[in-house]
Amino acid sequence: MELIKENEKGKTYQANGFKILYRYKDTIAGDNSINVKEVIYLISGSAEVTLEDSTKTVEAPAKIEFPEKTYHKIKALTDVAMVLFS
C-alpha cells in the first residue's frame, strides 16, 4: 500500500483496487457532489453520514453507498477507519 495523502484530516492509502482512509474525530470527508459511485465500509468508529438532504449516524461495522453525482458528506464523530471502493 502507498500513502497518497496525509494532512490534518488524516491519512489515505492506495491499495490494489481500493483506498483505506483514516479520519480524525470532527473532520469531514466528501462534502460535495462531484463523485463517481462510491461504496464505503466503515470498519471502526462512528460517523454522521449525509446523502442529499438525509443525515444519519452510523457505527462500525457499516456499509455506506453514495450514488454517482450526489451530495454526500461524512463527519467523523470519533476517529474512524474506512475502506473506499469507487
Side-chain angles (χ1 to χ4, degrees), residues 72-85:
H72 64 287
K73 176 173 78 171
I74 298 175
K75 179 180 179 184
L77 300 176
T78 65
D79 288 354
V80 297
M82 302 177 280
V83 176
L84 166 66
F85 294 89

PDB file of all heavy atoms in Angstrom, residues 72-85:
ATOM      1  N   HIS A  72     -22.882  14.372  -0.795  1.00  0.00           N
ATOM      2  CA  HIS A  72     -22.589  13.455   0.298  1.00  0.00           C
ATOM      3  C   HIS A  72     -21.527  14.058   1.208  1.00  0.00           C
ATOM      4  O   HIS A  72     -20.720  14.890   0.791  1.00  0.00           O
ATOM      5  CB  HIS A  72     -22.114  12.105  -0.248  1.00  0.00           C
ATOM      6  CG  HIS A  72     -20.823  12.212  -1.002  1.00  0.00           C
ATOM      7  ND1 HIS A  72     -20.732  12.785  -2.250  1.00  0.00           N
ATOM      8  CD2 HIS A  72     -19.565  11.829  -0.665  1.00  0.00           C
ATOM      9  CE1 HIS A  72     -19.475  12.746  -2.664  1.00  0.00           C
ATOM     10  NE2 HIS A  72     -18.745  12.180  -1.716  1.00  0.00           N
ATOM     11  N   LYS A  73     -21.569  13.609   2.477  1.00  0.00           N
ATOM     12  CA  LYS A  73     -20.603  14.099   3.463  1.00  0.00           C
ATOM     13  C   LYS A  73     -20.506  13.069   4.584  1.00  0.00           C
ATOM     14  O   LYS A  73     -21.511  12.472   4.958  1.00  0.00           O
ATOM     15  CB  LYS A  73     -21.060  15.446   4.015  1.00  0.00           C
ATOM     16  CG  LYS A  73     -20.193  16.020   5.109  1.00  0.00           C
ATOM     17  CD  LYS A  73     -20.610  17.425   5.482  1.00  0.00           C
ATOM     18  CE  LYS A  73     -21.816  17.430   6.358  1.00  0.00           C
ATOM     19  NZ  LYS A  73     -22.127  18.764   6.909  1.00  0.00           N
ATOM     20  N   ILE A  74     -19.302  12.873   5.087  1.00  0.00           N
ATOM     21  CA  ILE A  74     -19.097  12.023   6.257  1.00  0.00           C
ATOM     22  C   ILE A  74     -18.350  12.850   7.301  1.00  0.00           C
ATOM     23  O   ILE A  74     -17.236  13.329   7.041  1.00  0.00           O
ATOM     24  CB  ILE A  74     -18.282  10.760   5.920  1.00  0.00           C
ATOM     25  CG1 ILE A  74     -19.023   9.905   4.894  1.00  0.00           C
ATOM     26  CG2 ILE A  74     -17.994   9.967   7.188  1.00  0.00           C
ATOM     27  CD1 ILE A  74     -18.234   8.697   4.430  1.00  0.00           C
ATOM     28  N   LYS A  75     -18.959  13.016   8.468  1.00  0.00           N
ATOM     29  CA  LYS A  75     -18.306  13.704   9.577  1.00  0.00           C
ATOM     30  C   LYS A  75     -17.932  12.648  10.606  1.00  0.00           C
ATOM     31  O   LYS A  75     -18.789  11.912  11.097  1.00  0.00           O
ATOM     32  CB  LYS A  75     -19.213  14.739  10.226  1.00  0.00           C
ATOM     33  CG  LYS A  75     -18.555  15.434  11.396  1.00  0.00           C
ATOM     34  CD  LYS A  75     -19.434  16.464  12.042  1.00  0.00           C
ATOM     35  CE  LYS A  75     -18.687  17.083  13.222  1.00  0.00           C
ATOM     36  NZ  LYS A  75     -19.536  18.031  13.940  1.00  0.00           N
ATOM     37  N   ALA A  76     -16.647  12.561  10.918  1.00  0.00           N
ATOM     38  CA  ALA A  76     -16.172  11.587  11.896  1.00  0.00           C
ATOM     39  C   ALA A  76     -16.578  12.038  13.298  1.00  0.00           C
ATOM     40  O   ALA A  76     -16.197  13.116  13.743  1.00  0.00           O
ATOM     41  CB  ALA A  76     -14.656  11.441  11.797  1.00  0.00           C
ATOM     42  N   LEU A  77     -17.363  11.216  13.987  1.00  0.00           N
ATOM     43  CA  LEU A  77     -17.757  11.519  15.363  1.00  0.00           C
ATOM     44  C   LEU A  77     -16.715  10.999  16.350  1.00  0.00           C
ATOM     45  O   LEU A  77     -16.655  11.458  17.493  1.00  0.00           O
ATOM     46  CB  LEU A  77     -19.134  10.921  15.664  1.00  0.00           C
ATOM     47  CG  LEU A  77     -20.266  11.426  14.788  1.00  0.00           C
ATOM     48  CD1 LEU A  77     -21.559  10.704  15.101  1.00  0.00           C
ATOM     49  CD2 LEU A  77     -20.438  12.937  14.924  1.00  0.00           C
ATOM     50  N   THR A  78     -15.913  10.053  15.890  1.00  0.00           N
ATOM     51  CA  THR A  78     -14.745   9.526  16.600  1.00  0.00           C
ATOM     52  C   THR A  78     -13.658   9.397  15.540  1.00  0.00           C
ATOM     53  O   THR A  78     -13.913   9.634  14.358  1.00  0.00           O
ATOM     54  CB  THR A  78     -15.035   8.130  17.183  1.00  0.00           C
ATOM     55  OG1 THR A  78     -15.259   7.212  16.116  1.00  0.00           O
ATOM     56  CG2 THR A  78     -16.235   8.134  18.123  1.00  0.00           C
ATOM     57  N   ASP A  79     -12.486   9.003  15.909  1.00  0.00           N
ATOM     58  CA  ASP A  79     -11.503   8.614  14.880  1.00  0.00           C
ATOM     59  C   ASP A  79     -12.122   7.435  14.135  1.00  0.00           C
ATOM     60  O   ASP A  79     -12.714   6.544  14.772  1.00  0.00           O
ATOM     61  CB  ASP A  79     -10.179   8.199  15.502  1.00  0.00           C
ATOM     62  CG  ASP A  79      -9.385   9.362  16.073  1.00  0.00           C
ATOM     63  OD1 ASP A  79      -9.788  10.534  15.897  1.00  0.00           O
ATOM     64  OD2 ASP A  79      -8.347   9.103  16.713  1.00  0.00           O
ATOM     65  N   VAL A  80     -12.010   7.416  12.811  1.00  0.00           N
ATOM     66  CA  VAL A  80     -12.625   6.351  12.015  1.00  0.00           C
ATOM     67  C   VAL A  80     -11.616   5.755  11.032  1.00  0.00           C
ATOM     68  O   VAL A  80     -10.654   6.403  10.633  1.00  0.00           O
ATOM     69  CB  VAL A  80     -13.871   6.839  11.225  1.00  0.00           C
ATOM     70  CG1 VAL A  80     -14.961   7.302  12.177  1.00  0.00           C
ATOM     71  CG2 VAL A  80     -13.529   7.928  10.235  1.00  0.00           C
ATOM     72  N   ALA A  81     -11.910   4.523  10.632  1.00  0.00           N
ATOM     73  CA  ALA A  81     -11.162   3.853   9.558  1.00  0.00           C
ATOM     74  C   ALA A  81     -12.197   3.362   8.561  1.00  0.00           C
ATOM     75  O   ALA A  81     -13.241   2.811   8.939  1.00  0.00           O
ATOM     76  CB  ALA A  81     -10.342   2.694  10.104  1.00  0.00           C
ATOM     77  N   MET A  82     -11.920   3.600   7.259  1.00  0.00           N
ATOM     78  CA  MET A  82     -12.852   3.243   6.202  1.00  0.00           C
ATOM     79  C   MET A  82     -12.116   2.610   5.039  1.00  0.00           C
ATOM     80  O   MET A  82     -10.957   2.929   4.792  1.00  0.00           O
ATOM     81  CB  MET A  82     -13.585   4.491   5.697  1.00  0.00           C
ATOM     82  CG  MET A  82     -14.351   5.248   6.759  1.00  0.00           C
ATOM     83  SD  MET A  82     -15.140   6.750   6.139  1.00  0.00           S
ATOM     84  CE  MET A  82     -13.753   7.890   6.124  1.00  0.00           C
ATOM     85  N   VAL A  83     -12.821   1.755   4.323  1.00  0.00           N
ATOM     86  CA  VAL A  83     -12.320   1.198   3.063  1.00  0.00           C
ATOM     87  C   VAL A  83     -13.228   1.738   1.968  1.00  0.00           C
ATOM     88  O   VAL A  83     -14.465   1.632   2.067  1.00  0.00           O
ATOM     89  CB  VAL A  83     -12.346  -0.341   3.079  1.00  0.00           C
ATOM     90  CG1 VAL A  83     -11.907  -0.886   1.724  1.00  0.00           C
ATOM     91  CG2 VAL A  83     -11.453  -0.880   4.191  1.00  0.00           C
ATOM     92  N   LEU A  84     -12.647   2.349   0.936  1.00  0.00           N
ATOM     93  CA  LEU A  84     -13.395   3.012  -0.135  1.00  0.00           C
ATOM     94  C   LEU A  84     -13.187   2.294  -1.463  1.00  0.00           C
ATOM     95  O   LEU A  84     -12.041   2.120  -1.903  1.00  0.00           O
ATOM     96  CB  LEU A  84     -12.949   4.467  -0.272  1.00  0.00           C
ATOM     97  CG  LEU A  84     -13.377   5.224  -1.526  1.00  0.00           C
ATOM     98  CD1 LEU A  84     -14.891   5.413  -1.566  1.00  0.00           C
ATOM     99  CD2 LEU A  84     -12.669   6.565  -1.601  1.00  0.00           C
ATOM    100  N   PHE A  85     -14.302   1.913  -2.064  1.00  0.00           N
ATOM    101  CA  PHE A  85     -14.294   1.376  -3.434  1.00  0.00           C
ATOM    102  C   PHE A  85     -15.020   2.381  -4.311  1.00  0.00           C
ATOM    103  O   PHE A  85     -16.148   2.783  -4.000  1.00  0.00           O
ATOM    104  CB  PHE A  85     -15.019   0.031  -3.510  1.00  0.00           C
ATOM    105  CG  PHE A  85     -14.339  -1.066  -2.749  1.00  0.00           C
ATOM    106  CD1 PHE A  85     -14.630  -1.291  -1.412  1.00  0.00           C
ATOM    107  CD2 PHE A  85     -13.402  -1.867  -3.377  1.00  0.00           C
ATOM    108  CE1 PHE A  85     -14.000  -2.308  -0.711  1.00  0.00           C
ATOM    109  CE2 PHE A  85     -12.758  -2.885  -2.675  1.00  0.00           C
ATOM    110  CZ  PHE A  85     -13.068  -3.102  -1.339  1.00  0.00           C
TER     111      PHE A  85
END
